[in-house]
Amino acid sequence: MKHIIAPSILAADFANLQRDIEMVNRSEADWFHVDVMDGVFVPNISFGFPVITAAKKYAQKPFDVHLMIVDPDRYIAEFAKVGADIITVHYETCTHLHRTIQLIKSVGCKAGVALNPHTPVNLLKDILQDIDLALIMSVNPGFGGQQFIPQTLNKVAELKQMSLFNNPNLFIEVDGGIGLHNIASLIQAGANTFVAGNAVFAAQDPMKMIADLKNIEVETHLI
Ligand code: DX5
Ligand code: ZN
């Protein structure tokens, strides 16, 4: 499968959200990445249901919703209602992760689990067969525009090995500090889904940047 590019609307111009969404519609991007932050799990607050509802009116690609919130079960049904296609919860916020995954699936969404930079991937071993997506955070969640943490490459490679056995169709998503400088090595390590915030929206030509990320040359014999 060709890798997926999911521009993060956290880095869009909120005063021109319709314009930025329509740019992504016209681009080679595959999904919209939608970062929800509660100011408790992470030290920042982003946006909630009214903004997602408004964005959904114009978006023509799936919504990949990344919940950086405590007790996400309370809001899963509402996120599905406002248009989430994939809902990803943080491992660190879920005491009964299996139950949360079942809940996400019961409302008709694909289910993902995100790991903070310090959380080992082997903790996913007994849930891997039940999820559609695993998100490896490559920065500490909370803000766009941070620097990529290199240990992510090892985590991706380990997760790829685990998934070959347990869930070969798993979306292995990397989020934070992704750009043209590191996407090829992450593909080689086994990632297939990429969030890009600043790399896209701070670029001179965001549509071209999306195309460049999508069509990056990778030495396939190493994969
Ligand atoms: C960070 C968010 C990211 C963020 C990525 O907590 O989960 O999705 O928008 O932004 P960049 O690509 O700028 O690091
Ligand atoms: Zn995110």
Side-chain angles (χ1 to χ4, degrees), residues 8 10 33 35 37 66 68 137 141-145 175-177 195-198:
S8 170
L10 184 68
H33 186 77
D35 286 308
M37 304 177 182
H66 176 193
M68 288 161 271
M137 285 306 302
F143 302 93
D175 184 5
V195 177
N198 268 54

Side-chain angles (χ1 to χ4, degrees), residues 148-197:
F148 178 81
I149 298 171
Q151 167 63 5
T152 307
L153 283 158
N154 298 325
K155 293 179 76 172
V156 167
E158 189 183 343
L159 180 60
K160 174 71 183 177
Q161 281 307 314
M162 286 165 64
S163 73
L164 286 177
F165 206 65
N166 264 337
N167 188 344
N169 296 322
L170 184 72
F171 293 107
I172 299 180
E173 184 171 41
V174 187
D175 184 5
I178 305 300
L180 291 172
H181 62 291
N182 54 16
I183 190 168
S185 52
L186 285 160
I187 292 170
Q188 282 168 351
N192 54 30
T193 305
F194 299 93
V195 177

Side-chain angles (χ1 to χ4, degrees), residues 62-114:
F63 269 24
D64 170 34
V65 176
H66 176 193
L67 296 184
M68 288 161 271
I69 66 175
V70 297
D71 199 2
D73 293 29
R74 286 191 293 168
Y75 299 107
I76 300 293
E78 188 73 12
F79 280 110
K81 214 165 110 194
V82 297
D85 296 281
I86 303 154
I87 298 179
T88 296
V89 294
H90 265 264
Y91 180 89
E92 300 83 7
T93 63
C94 296
T95 312
H96 299 284
L97 182 58
H98 188 273
R99 180 181 290 149
T100 304
I101 297 302
Q102 299 310 310
L103 180 59
I104 295 171
K105 290 182 172 174
S106 76
V107 296
C109 295
K110 289 195 186 310
V113 178

